[in-house]
Amino acid sequence: MKPSILLFGVIGLCGCAAVAAQGAPQAVITAAGHYHPLPHAAYQPDPAATYKVVFAMTRESEKPGQVNPALERVARTVNLYASAGVPVDHLKFVAVAYGKATPLVLDNAHYKAKFGVDNPNLPVIEQLRKAGVDVAVCGQAMAESNFPDDWAAKSVTLSLSALTTITELQQQGYALMPL
């Protein structure tokens, strides 16, 4: 009798876990941006609102084989808003890389030539693009880093500068998120 009770208990727990997993929100960006769903937490985003954010990405990666921490935060932000029920088309996000973050936008061939590994940021950039996020790079930072413009991945927007991009977007009502 005990083995059958144990078996039914295990089956019951597995069923509960499956139901719980079905209710968990799916991440929009799966290549980065891990988050913890907290539907009971305060300050939940309004699913009916539109959010305009410009991310100033200035941090470098500790290891070239890891996703840039600033780009990771952009991915997490998308996932957090989506997990709160905000449609991705309500997210007007622009992520601008400059300073020490500039190399994160390099195409794979040039990133690998510089760092000896494939660019781990490219899958994240592609997923962000599919979610409507404009990933840009400061043209001045590219020039100062001696990176020709065409070394940037094709899915990255070349901007005049981070300075003008950020101030222009702030004039349009975007909130600044320094990373």
PDB file of all heavy atoms in Angstrom, residues 74-116:
ATOM      1  N   VAL A  74      19.106  45.266 -20.766  1.00  0.00           N
ATOM      2  CA  VAL A  74      18.076  45.649 -21.735  1.00  0.00           C
ATOM      3  C   VAL A  74      17.148  44.454 -21.973  1.00  0.00           C
ATOM      4  O   VAL A  74      15.919  44.597 -21.950  1.00  0.00           O
ATOM      5  CB  VAL A  74      18.706  46.131 -23.064  1.00  0.00           C
ATOM      6  CG1 VAL A  74      17.625  46.408 -24.100  1.00  0.00           C
ATOM      7  CG2 VAL A  74      19.559  47.380 -22.834  1.00  0.00           C
ATOM      8  N   ALA A  75      17.733  43.275 -22.161  1.00  0.00           N
ATOM      9  CA  ALA A  75      16.935  42.063 -22.364  1.00  0.00           C
ATOM     10  C   ALA A  75      16.057  41.785 -21.149  1.00  0.00           C
ATOM     11  O   ALA A  75      14.871  41.448 -21.295  1.00  0.00           O
ATOM     12  CB  ALA A  75      17.857  40.877 -22.644  1.00  0.00           C
ATOM     13  N   ARG A  76      16.605  41.957 -19.968  1.00  0.00           N
ATOM     14  CA  ARG A  76      15.823  41.736 -18.754  1.00  0.00           C
ATOM     15  C   ARG A  76      14.658  42.718 -18.674  1.00  0.00           C
ATOM     16  O   ARG A  76      13.545  42.345 -18.283  1.00  0.00           O
ATOM     17  CB  ARG A  76      16.694  41.881 -17.511  1.00  0.00           C
ATOM     18  CG  ARG A  76      15.895  41.734 -16.211  1.00  0.00           C
ATOM     19  CD  ARG A  76      16.766  41.860 -15.002  1.00  0.00           C
ATOM     20  NE  ARG A  76      17.316  40.547 -14.741  1.00  0.00           N
ATOM     21  CZ  ARG A  76      17.936  40.223 -13.606  1.00  0.00           C
ATOM     22  NH1 ARG A  76      18.118  41.114 -12.659  1.00  0.00           N
ATOM     23  NH2 ARG A  76      18.396  39.018 -13.422  1.00  0.00           N
ATOM     24  N   THR A  77      14.887  43.948 -19.050  1.00  0.00           N
ATOM     25  CA  THR A  77      13.821  44.946 -19.005  1.00  0.00           C
ATOM     26  C   THR A  77      12.675  44.557 -19.933  1.00  0.00           C
ATOM     27  O   THR A  77      11.503  44.640 -19.557  1.00  0.00           O
ATOM     28  CB  THR A  77      14.366  46.345 -19.362  1.00  0.00           C
ATOM     29  OG1 THR A  77      15.453  46.655 -18.478  1.00  0.00           O
ATOM     30  CG2 THR A  77      13.295  47.409 -19.231  1.00  0.00           C
ATOM     31  N   VAL A  78      12.998  44.120 -21.152  1.00  0.00           N
ATOM     32  CA  VAL A  78      11.957  43.659 -22.081  1.00  0.00           C
ATOM     33  C   VAL A  78      11.177  42.518 -21.447  1.00  0.00           C
ATOM     34  O   VAL A  78       9.933  42.516 -21.447  1.00  0.00           O
ATOM     35  CB  VAL A  78      12.571  43.225 -23.430  1.00  0.00           C
ATOM     36  CG1 VAL A  78      11.529  42.541 -24.310  1.00  0.00           C
ATOM     37  CG2 VAL A  78      13.184  44.409 -24.151  1.00  0.00           C
ATOM     38  N   ASN A  79      11.888  41.544 -20.896  1.00  0.00           N
ATOM     39  CA  ASN A  79      11.222  40.391 -20.291  1.00  0.00           C
ATOM     40  C   ASN A  79      10.362  40.772 -19.092  1.00  0.00           C
ATOM     41  O   ASN A  79       9.282  40.217 -18.900  1.00  0.00           O
ATOM     42  CB  ASN A  79      12.255  39.329 -19.903  1.00  0.00           C
ATOM     43  CG  ASN A  79      12.800  38.599 -21.108  1.00  0.00           C
ATOM     44  OD1 ASN A  79      12.187  38.562 -22.169  1.00  0.00           O
ATOM     45  ND2 ASN A  79      13.975  38.013 -20.958  1.00  0.00           N
ATOM     46  N   LEU A  80      10.820  41.709 -18.289  1.00  0.00           N
ATOM     47  CA  LEU A  80      10.041  42.131 -17.126  1.00  0.00           C
ATOM     48  C   LEU A  80       8.733  42.815 -17.539  1.00  0.00           C
ATOM     49  O   LEU A  80       7.663  42.513 -16.985  1.00  0.00           O
ATOM     50  CB  LEU A  80      10.860  43.064 -16.235  1.00  0.00           C
ATOM     51  CG  LEU A  80      11.945  42.380 -15.412  1.00  0.00           C
ATOM     52  CD1 LEU A  80      12.901  43.409 -14.820  1.00  0.00           C
ATOM     53  CD2 LEU A  80      11.313  41.524 -14.316  1.00  0.00           C
ATOM     54  N   TYR A  81       8.819  43.710 -18.503  1.00  0.00           N
ATOM     55  CA  TYR A  81       7.596  44.370 -18.972  1.00  0.00           C
ATOM     56  C   TYR A  81       6.647  43.348 -19.597  1.00  0.00           C
ATOM     57  O   TYR A  81       5.438  43.367 -19.342  1.00  0.00           O
ATOM     58  CB  TYR A  81       7.921  45.489 -19.964  1.00  0.00           C
ATOM     59  CG  TYR A  81       8.247  46.794 -19.286  1.00  0.00           C
ATOM     60  CD1 TYR A  81       9.565  47.146 -19.015  1.00  0.00           C
ATOM     61  CD2 TYR A  81       7.244  47.686 -18.913  1.00  0.00           C
ATOM     62  CE1 TYR A  81       9.873  48.338 -18.385  1.00  0.00           C
ATOM     63  CE2 TYR A  81       7.545  48.880 -18.280  1.00  0.00           C
ATOM     64  CZ  TYR A  81       8.857  49.203 -18.017  1.00  0.00           C
ATOM     65  OH  TYR A  81       9.160  50.386 -17.384  1.00  0.00           O
ATOM     66  N   ALA A  82       7.175  42.457 -20.421  1.00  0.00           N
ATOM     67  CA  ALA A  82       6.332  41.445 -21.057  1.00  0.00           C
ATOM     68  C   ALA A  82       5.705  40.516 -20.016  1.00  0.00           C
ATOM     69  O   ALA A  82       4.530  40.156 -20.128  1.00  0.00           O
ATOM     70  CB  ALA A  82       7.146  40.649 -22.069  1.00  0.00           C
ATOM     71  N   SER A  83       6.463  40.156 -18.976  1.00  0.00           N
ATOM     72  CA  SER A  83       5.929  39.265 -17.942  1.00  0.00           C
ATOM     73  C   SER A  83       4.812  39.935 -17.149  1.00  0.00           C
ATOM     74  O   SER A  83       3.966  39.258 -16.584  1.00  0.00           O
ATOM     75  CB  SER A  83       7.036  38.803 -17.000  1.00  0.00           C
ATOM     76  OG  SER A  83       7.397  39.808 -16.075  1.00  0.00           O
ATOM     77  N   ALA A  84       4.809  41.260 -17.146  1.00  0.00           N
ATOM     78  CA  ALA A  84       3.751  42.008 -16.453  1.00  0.00           C
ATOM     79  C   ALA A  84       2.551  42.259 -17.372  1.00  0.00           C
ATOM     80  O   ALA A  84       1.622  42.963 -16.998  1.00  0.00           O
ATOM     81  CB  ALA A  84       4.308  43.335 -15.933  1.00  0.00           C
ATOM     82  N   GLY A  85       2.599  41.709 -18.587  1.00  0.00           N
ATOM     83  CA  GLY A  85       1.458  41.816 -19.488  1.00  0.00           C
ATOM     84  C   GLY A  85       1.513  42.967 -20.477  1.00  0.00           C
ATOM     85  O   GLY A  85       0.554  43.207 -21.199  1.00  0.00           O
ATOM     86  N   VAL A  86       2.641  43.686 -20.523  1.00  0.00           N
ATOM     87  CA  VAL A  86       2.779  44.789 -21.473  1.00  0.00           C
ATOM     88  C   VAL A  86       3.134  44.193 -22.840  1.00  0.00           C
ATOM     89  O   VAL A  86       4.150  43.508 -22.959  1.00  0.00           O
ATOM     90  CB  VAL A  86       3.864  45.795 -21.026  1.00  0.00           C
ATOM     91  CG1 VAL A  86       4.033  46.901 -22.064  1.00  0.00           C
ATOM     92  CG2 VAL A  86       3.535  46.375 -19.661  1.00  0.00           C
ATOM     93  N   PRO A  87       2.329  44.455 -23.873  1.00  0.00           N
ATOM     94  CA  PRO A  87       2.669  43.950 -25.208  1.00  0.00           C
ATOM     95  C   PRO A  87       3.984  44.572 -25.696  1.00  0.00           C
ATOM     96  O   PRO A  87       4.240  45.753 -25.448  1.00  0.00           O
ATOM     97  CB  PRO A  87       1.502  44.410 -26.082  1.00  0.00           C
ATOM     98  CG  PRO A  87       0.400  44.772 -25.134  1.00  0.00           C
ATOM     99  CD  PRO A  87       1.060  45.187 -23.858  1.00  0.00           C
ATOM    100  N   VAL A  88       4.798  43.786 -26.403  1.00  0.00           N
ATOM    101  CA  VAL A  88       6.089  44.307 -26.843  1.00  0.00           C
ATOM    102  C   VAL A  88       5.928  45.505 -27.784  1.00  0.00           C
ATOM    103  O   VAL A  88       6.826  46.342 -27.849  1.00  0.00           O
ATOM    104  CB  VAL A  88       7.001  43.237 -27.475  1.00  0.00           C
ATOM    105  CG1 VAL A  88       7.463  42.243 -26.440  1.00  0.00           C
ATOM    106  CG2 VAL A  88       6.352  42.560 -28.639  1.00  0.00           C
ATOM    107  N   ASP A  89       4.795  45.620 -28.463  1.00  0.00           N
ATOM    108  CA  ASP A  89       4.632  46.786 -29.331  1.00  0.00           C
ATOM    109  C   ASP A  89       4.324  48.056 -28.535  1.00  0.00           C
ATOM    110  O   ASP A  89       4.252  49.138 -29.100  1.00  0.00           O
ATOM    111  CB  ASP A  89       3.598  46.548 -30.435  1.00  0.00           C
ATOM    112  CG  ASP A  89       2.191  46.310 -29.921  1.00  0.00           C
ATOM    113  OD1 ASP A  89       1.995  46.127 -28.697  1.00  0.00           O
ATOM    114  OD2 ASP A  89       1.271  46.302 -30.760  1.00  0.00           O
ATOM    115  N   HIS A  90       4.196  47.927 -27.223  1.00  0.00           N
ATOM    116  CA  HIS A  90       4.059  49.100 -26.340  1.00  0.00           C
ATOM    117  C   HIS A  90       5.415  49.519 -25.774  1.00  0.00           C
ATOM    118  O   HIS A  90       5.488  50.459 -24.988  1.00  0.00           O
ATOM    119  CB  HIS A  90       3.104  48.802 -25.183  1.00  0.00           C
ATOM    120  CG  HIS A  90       1.676  48.719 -25.593  1.00  0.00           C
ATOM    121  ND1 HIS A  90       0.651  49.011 -24.731  1.00  0.00           N
ATOM    122  CD2 HIS A  90       1.077  48.393 -26.759  1.00  0.00           C
ATOM    123  CE1 HIS A  90      -0.499  48.850 -25.336  1.00  0.00           C
ATOM    124  NE2 HIS A  90      -0.265  48.472 -26.582  1.00  0.00           N
ATOM    125  N   LEU A  91       6.454  48.800 -26.138  1.00  0.00           N
ATOM    126  CA  LEU A  91       7.806  49.110 -25.662  1.00  0.00           C
ATOM    127  C   LEU A  91       8.561  49.829 -26.766  1.00  0.00           C
ATOM    128  O   LEU A  91       8.884  49.237 -27.793  1.00  0.00           O
ATOM    129  CB  LEU A  91       8.548  47.832 -25.256  1.00  0.00           C
ATOM    130  CG  LEU A  91       7.874  46.957 -24.203  1.00  0.00           C
ATOM    131  CD1 LEU A  91       8.693  45.691 -23.963  1.00  0.00           C
ATOM    132  CD2 LEU A  91       7.637  47.720 -22.917  1.00  0.00           C
ATOM    133  N   LYS A  92       8.814  51.096 -26.570  1.00  0.00           N
ATOM    134  CA  LYS A  92       9.592  51.903 -27.522  1.00  0.00           C
ATOM    135  C   LYS A  92      10.973  52.059 -26.904  1.00  0.00           C
ATOM    136  O   LYS A  92      11.240  53.012 -26.182  1.00  0.00           O
ATOM    137  CB  LYS A  92       8.928  53.267 -27.764  1.00  0.00           C
ATOM    138  CG  LYS A  92       7.456  53.189 -28.140  1.00  0.00           C
ATOM    139  CD  LYS A  92       7.234  52.355 -29.386  1.00  0.00           C
ATOM    140  CE  LYS A  92       5.760  52.278 -29.712  1.00  0.00           C
ATOM    141  NZ  LYS A  92       5.444  51.220 -30.635  1.00  0.00           N
ATOM    142  N   PHE A  93      11.828  51.074 -27.137  1.00  0.00           N
ATOM    143  CA  PHE A  93      13.143  51.014 -26.513  1.00  0.00           C
ATOM    144  C   PHE A  93      14.242  51.227 -27.551  1.00  0.00           C
ATOM    145  O   PHE A  93      14.196  50.664 -28.649  1.00  0.00           O
ATOM    146  CB  PHE A  93      13.377  49.657 -25.845  1.00  0.00           C
ATOM    147  CG  PHE A  93      12.583  49.385 -24.596  1.00  0.00           C
ATOM    148  CD1 PHE A  93      12.673  48.157 -23.971  1.00  0.00           C
ATOM    149  CD2 PHE A  93      11.745  50.335 -24.032  1.00  0.00           C
ATOM    150  CE1 PHE A  93      11.968  47.885 -22.810  1.00  0.00           C
ATOM    151  CE2 PHE A  93      11.026  50.075 -22.865  1.00  0.00           C
ATOM    152  CZ  PHE A  93      11.140  48.847 -22.262  1.00  0.00           C
ATOM    153  N   VAL A  94      15.239  52.040 -27.173  1.00  0.00           N
ATOM    154  CA  VAL A  94      16.442  52.230 -27.971  1.00  0.00           C
ATOM    155  C   VAL A  94      17.620  51.984 -27.028  1.00  0.00           C
ATOM    156  O   VAL A  94      17.683  52.580 -25.949  1.00  0.00           O
ATOM    157  CB  VAL A  94      16.522  53.650 -28.572  1.00  0.00           C
ATOM    158  CG1 VAL A  94      17.817  53.828 -29.357  1.00  0.00           C
ATOM    159  CG2 VAL A  94      15.305  53.929 -29.456  1.00  0.00           C
ATOM    160  N   ALA A  95      18.523  51.107 -27.426  1.00  0.00           N
ATOM    161  CA  ALA A  95      19.709  50.797 -26.619  1.00  0.00           C
ATOM    162  C   ALA A  95      20.932  51.266 -27.395  1.00  0.00           C
ATOM    163  O   ALA A  95      21.194  50.768 -28.489  1.00  0.00           O
ATOM    164  CB  ALA A  95      19.785  49.301 -26.344  1.00  0.00           C
ATOM    165  N   VAL A  96      21.663  52.235 -26.839  1.00  0.00           N
ATOM    166  CA  VAL A  96      22.811  52.826 -27.522  1.00  0.00           C
ATOM    167  C   VAL A  96      24.102  52.393 -26.830  1.00  0.00           C
ATOM    168  O   VAL A  96      24.300  52.657 -25.643  1.00  0.00           O
ATOM    169  CB  VAL A  96      22.730  54.372 -27.513  1.00  0.00           C
ATOM    170  CG1 VAL A  96      23.873  54.958 -28.327  1.00  0.00           C
ATOM    171  CG2 VAL A  96      21.402  54.852 -28.040  1.00  0.00           C
ATOM    172  N   ALA A  97      24.980  51.735 -27.596  1.00  0.00           N
ATOM    173  CA  ALA A  97      26.279  51.313 -27.067  1.00  0.00           C
ATOM    174  C   ALA A  97      27.318  52.381 -27.389  1.00  0.00           C
ATOM    175  O   ALA A  97      27.364  52.902 -28.503  1.00  0.00           O
ATOM    176  CB  ALA A  97      26.696  49.987 -27.689  1.00  0.00           C
ATOM    177  N   TYR A  98      28.127  52.704 -26.401  1.00  0.00           N
ATOM    178  CA  TYR A  98      29.239  53.639 -26.607  1.00  0.00           C
ATOM    179  C   TYR A  98      30.260  53.439 -25.514  1.00  0.00           C
ATOM    180  O   TYR A  98      30.049  52.649 -24.591  1.00  0.00           O
ATOM    181  CB  TYR A  98      28.764  55.090 -26.701  1.00  0.00           C
ATOM    182  CG  TYR A  98      28.082  55.657 -25.484  1.00  0.00           C
ATOM    183  CD1 TYR A  98      28.748  56.531 -24.630  1.00  0.00           C
ATOM    184  CD2 TYR A  98      26.754  55.366 -25.202  1.00  0.00           C
ATOM    185  CE1 TYR A  98      28.118  57.090 -23.534  1.00  0.00           C
ATOM    186  CE2 TYR A  98      26.112  55.913 -24.107  1.00  0.00           C
ATOM    187  CZ  TYR A  98      26.793  56.776 -23.273  1.00  0.00           C
ATOM    188  OH  TYR A  98      26.164  57.321 -22.182  1.00  0.00           O
ATOM    189  N   GLY A  99      31.384  54.133 -25.625  1.00  0.00           N
ATOM    190  CA  GLY A  99      32.451  53.960 -24.635  1.00  0.00           C
ATOM    191  C   GLY A  99      32.939  52.528 -24.633  1.00  0.00           C
ATOM    192  O   GLY A  99      33.112  51.907 -25.687  1.00  0.00           O
ATOM    193  N   LYS A 100      33.128  51.972 -23.441  1.00  0.00           N
ATOM    194  CA  LYS A 100      33.665  50.617 -23.306  1.00  0.00           C
ATOM    195  C   LYS A 100      32.715  49.538 -23.818  1.00  0.00           C
ATOM    196  O   LYS A 100      33.118  48.401 -24.027  1.00  0.00           O
ATOM    197  CB  LYS A 100      34.046  50.349 -21.857  1.00  0.00           C
ATOM    198  CG  LYS A 100      35.227  51.195 -21.398  1.00  0.00           C
ATOM    199  CD  LYS A 100      35.604  50.889 -19.970  1.00  0.00           C
ATOM    200  CE  LYS A 100      36.804  51.743 -19.555  1.00  0.00           C
ATOM    201  NZ  LYS A 100      37.228  51.462 -18.195  1.00  0.00           N
ATOM    202  N   ALA A 101      31.441  49.874 -24.024  1.00  0.00           N
ATOM    203  CA  ALA A 101      30.469  48.903 -24.536  1.00  0.00           C
ATOM    204  C   ALA A 101      30.487  48.795 -26.055  1.00  0.00           C
ATOM    205  O   ALA A 101      29.866  47.895 -26.620  1.00  0.00           O
ATOM    206  CB  ALA A 101      29.060  49.279 -24.070  1.00  0.00           C
ATOM    207  N   THR A 102      31.193  49.667 -26.734  1.00  0.00           N
ATOM    208  CA  THR A 102      31.174  49.719 -28.198  1.00  0.00           C
ATOM    209  C   THR A 102      31.432  48.368 -28.867  1.00  0.00           C
ATOM    210  O   THR A 102      30.706  47.995 -29.799  1.00  0.00           O
ATOM    211  CB  THR A 102      32.163  50.785 -28.713  1.00  0.00           C
ATOM    212  OG1 THR A 102      31.822  52.039 -28.128  1.00  0.00           O
ATOM    213  CG2 THR A 102      32.127  50.893 -30.219  1.00  0.00           C
ATOM    214  N   PRO A 103      32.408  47.570 -28.436  1.00  0.00           N
ATOM    215  CA  PRO A 103      32.684  46.309 -29.145  1.00  0.00           C
ATOM    216  C   PRO A 103      31.516  45.320 -29.168  1.00  0.00           C
ATOM    217  O   PRO A 103      31.491  44.431 -30.014  1.00  0.00           O
ATOM    218  CB  PRO A 103      33.871  45.717 -28.384  1.00  0.00           C
ATOM    219  CG  PRO A 103      34.537  46.889 -27.744  1.00  0.00           C
ATOM    220  CD  PRO A 103      33.409  47.838 -27.396  1.00  0.00           C
ATOM    221  N   LEU A 104      30.540  45.466 -28.296  1.00  0.00           N
ATOM    222  CA  LEU A 104      29.451  44.488 -28.265  1.00  0.00           C
ATOM    223  C   LEU A 104      28.689  44.438 -29.581  1.00  0.00           C
ATOM    224  O   LEU A 104      28.043  43.444 -29.891  1.00  0.00           O
ATOM    225  CB  LEU A 104      28.502  44.740 -27.090  1.00  0.00           C
ATOM    226  CG  LEU A 104      27.467  45.864 -27.155  1.00  0.00           C
ATOM    227  CD1 LEU A 104      26.190  45.451 -27.850  1.00  0.00           C
ATOM    228  CD2 LEU A 104      27.133  46.322 -25.748  1.00  0.00           C
ATOM    229  N   VAL A 105      28.765  45.487 -30.405  1.00  0.00           N
ATOM    230  CA  VAL A 105      28.009  45.540 -31.652  1.00  0.00           C
ATOM    231  C   VAL A 105      28.776  44.996 -32.858  1.00  0.00           C
ATOM    232  O   VAL A 105      28.225  44.921 -33.952  1.00  0.00           O
ATOM    233  CB  VAL A 105      27.540  46.977 -31.979  1.00  0.00           C
ATOM    234  CG1 VAL A 105      26.740  47.559 -30.829  1.00  0.00           C
ATOM    235  CG2 VAL A 105      28.702  47.872 -32.362  1.00  0.00           C
ATOM    236  N   LEU A 106      30.040  44.635 -32.677  1.00  0.00           N
ATOM    237  CA  LEU A 106      30.836  44.171 -33.812  1.00  0.00           C
ATOM    238  C   LEU A 106      30.256  42.897 -34.424  1.00  0.00           C
ATOM    239  O   LEU A 106      29.739  42.030 -33.710  1.00  0.00           O
ATOM    240  CB  LEU A 106      32.282  43.906 -33.390  1.00  0.00           C
ATOM    241  CG  LEU A 106      33.100  45.116 -32.963  1.00  0.00           C
ATOM    242  CD1 LEU A 106      34.477  44.678 -32.490  1.00  0.00           C
ATOM    243  CD2 LEU A 106      33.208  46.132 -34.099  1.00  0.00           C
ATOM    244  N   ASP A 107      30.360  42.783 -35.753  1.00  0.00           N
ATOM    245  CA  ASP A 107      29.947  41.544 -36.404  1.00  0.00           C
ATOM    246  C   ASP A 107      30.861  40.422 -35.904  1.00  0.00           C
ATOM    247  O   ASP A 107      31.900  40.669 -35.285  1.00  0.00           O
ATOM    248  CB  ASP A 107      29.945  41.678 -37.925  1.00  0.00           C
ATOM    249  CG  ASP A 107      31.313  41.943 -38.533  1.00  0.00           C
ATOM    250  OD1 ASP A 107      32.352  41.559 -37.954  1.00  0.00           O
ATOM    251  OD2 ASP A 107      31.345  42.559 -39.614  1.00  0.00           O
ATOM    252  N   ASN A 108      30.446  39.197 -36.154  1.00  0.00           N
ATOM    253  CA  ASN A 108      31.169  38.068 -35.575  1.00  0.00           C
ATOM    254  C   ASN A 108      32.613  37.980 -36.046  1.00  0.00           C
ATOM    255  O   ASN A 108      33.513  37.692 -35.258  1.00  0.00           O
ATOM    256  CB  ASN A 108      30.436  36.755 -35.853  1.00  0.00           C
ATOM    257  CG  ASN A 108      30.885  35.685 -34.886  1.00  0.00           C
ATOM    258  OD1 ASN A 108      30.782  35.865 -33.682  1.00  0.00           O
ATOM    259  ND2 ASN A 108      31.381  34.591 -35.415  1.00  0.00           N
ATOM    260  N   ALA A 109      32.860  38.236 -37.317  1.00  0.00           N
ATOM    261  CA  ALA A 109      34.226  38.115 -37.845  1.00  0.00           C
ATOM    262  C   ALA A 109      35.176  39.084 -37.150  1.00  0.00           C
ATOM    263  O   ALA A 109      36.285  38.694 -36.736  1.00  0.00           O
ATOM    264  CB  ALA A 109      34.230  38.362 -39.352  1.00  0.00           C
ATOM    265  N   HIS A 110      34.765  40.326 -36.980  1.00  0.00           N
ATOM    266  CA  HIS A 110      35.649  41.324 -36.367  1.00  0.00           C
ATOM    267  C   HIS A 110      35.743  41.147 -34.849  1.00  0.00           C
ATOM    268  O   HIS A 110      36.799  41.393 -34.261  1.00  0.00           O
ATOM    269  CB  HIS A 110      35.189  42.737 -36.750  1.00  0.00           C
ATOM    270  CG  HIS A 110      35.400  43.002 -38.204  1.00  0.00           C
ATOM    271  ND1 HIS A 110      34.399  42.883 -39.128  1.00  0.00           N
ATOM    272  CD2 HIS A 110      36.528  43.318 -38.895  1.00  0.00           C
ATOM    273  CE1 HIS A 110      34.883  43.136 -40.333  1.00  0.00           C
ATOM    274  NE2 HIS A 110      36.170  43.399 -40.220  1.00  0.00           N
ATOM    275  N   TYR A 111      34.660  40.720 -34.219  1.00  0.00           N
ATOM    276  CA  TYR A 111      34.696  40.449 -32.776  1.00  0.00           C
ATOM    277  C   TYR A 111      35.663  39.289 -32.499  1.00  0.00           C
ATOM    278  O   TYR A 111      36.497  39.367 -31.598  1.00  0.00           O
ATOM    279  CB  TYR A 111      33.288  40.108 -32.276  1.00  0.00           C
ATOM    280  CG  TYR A 111      33.153  40.084 -30.773  1.00  0.00           C
ATOM    281  CD1 TYR A 111      32.765  41.224 -30.078  1.00  0.00           C
ATOM    282  CD2 TYR A 111      33.393  38.927 -30.032  1.00  0.00           C
ATOM    283  CE1 TYR A 111      32.621  41.207 -28.692  1.00  0.00           C
ATOM    284  CE2 TYR A 111      33.254  38.907 -28.657  1.00  0.00           C
ATOM    285  CZ  TYR A 111      32.870  40.057 -27.992  1.00  0.00           C
ATOM    286  OH  TYR A 111      32.728  40.037 -26.619  1.00  0.00           O
ATOM    287  N   LYS A 112      35.534  38.234 -33.315  1.00  0.00           N
ATOM    288  CA  LYS A 112      36.397  37.058 -33.121  1.00  0.00           C
ATOM    289  C   LYS A 112      37.861  37.404 -33.389  1.00  0.00           C
ATOM    290  O   LYS A 112      38.753  36.933 -32.667  1.00  0.00           O
ATOM    291  CB  LYS A 112      35.944  35.915 -34.022  1.00  0.00           C
ATOM    292  CG  LYS A 112      36.572  34.594 -33.678  1.00  0.00           C
ATOM    293  CD  LYS A 112      35.884  33.453 -34.390  1.00  0.00           C
ATOM    294  CE  LYS A 112      36.397  32.139 -33.837  1.00  0.00           C
ATOM    295  NZ  LYS A 112      35.592  31.013 -34.276  1.00  0.00           N
ATOM    296  N   ALA A 113      38.119  38.246 -34.377  1.00  0.00           N
ATOM    297  CA  ALA A 113      39.499  38.663 -34.667  1.00  0.00           C
ATOM    298  C   ALA A 113      40.080  39.451 -33.490  1.00  0.00           C
ATOM    299  O   ALA A 113      41.261  39.319 -33.166  1.00  0.00           O
ATOM    300  CB  ALA A 113      39.544  39.496 -35.938  1.00  0.00           C
ATOM    301  N   LYS A 114      39.246  40.256 -32.846  1.00  0.00           N
ATOM    302  CA  LYS A 114      39.719  41.093 -31.738  1.00  0.00           C
ATOM    303  C   LYS A 114      39.839  40.309 -30.430  1.00  0.00           C
ATOM    304  O   LYS A 114      40.779  40.491 -29.674  1.00  0.00           O
ATOM    305  CB  LYS A 114      38.788  42.290 -31.541  1.00  0.00           C
ATOM    306  CG  LYS A 114      39.232  43.223 -30.420  1.00  0.00           C
ATOM    307  CD  LYS A 114      38.497  44.534 -30.457  1.00  0.00           C
ATOM    308  CE  LYS A 114      38.886  45.464 -29.348  1.00  0.00           C
ATOM    309  NZ  LYS A 114      40.297  45.800 -29.264  1.00  0.00           N
ATOM    310  N   PHE A 115      38.837  39.431 -30.135  1.00  0.00           N
ATOM    311  CA  PHE A 115      38.774  38.784 -28.821  1.00  0.00           C
ATOM    312  C   PHE A 115      39.030  37.272 -28.844  1.00  0.00           C
ATOM    313  O   PHE A 115      39.113  36.653 -27.786  1.00  0.00           O
ATOM    314  CB  PHE A 115      37.413  39.048 -28.173  1.00  0.00           C
ATOM    315  CG  PHE A 115      37.154  40.505 -27.898  1.00  0.00           C
ATOM    316  CD1 PHE A 115      36.224  41.203 -28.648  1.00  0.00           C
ATOM    317  CD2 PHE A 115      37.844  41.176 -26.903  1.00  0.00           C
ATOM    318  CE1 PHE A 115      35.975  42.556 -28.405  1.00  0.00           C
ATOM    319  CE2 PHE A 115      37.601  42.521 -26.647  1.00  0.00           C
ATOM    320  CZ  PHE A 115      36.670  43.214 -27.411  1.00  0.00           C
ATOM    321  N   GLY A 116      39.079  36.656 -30.028  1.00  0.00           N
ATOM    322  CA  GLY A 116      39.357  35.227 -30.117  1.00  0.00           C
ATOM    323  C   GLY A 116      38.167  34.323 -29.864  1.00  0.00           C
ATOM    324  O   GLY A 116      38.327  33.106 -29.779  1.00  0.00           O
TER     325      GLY A 116
END
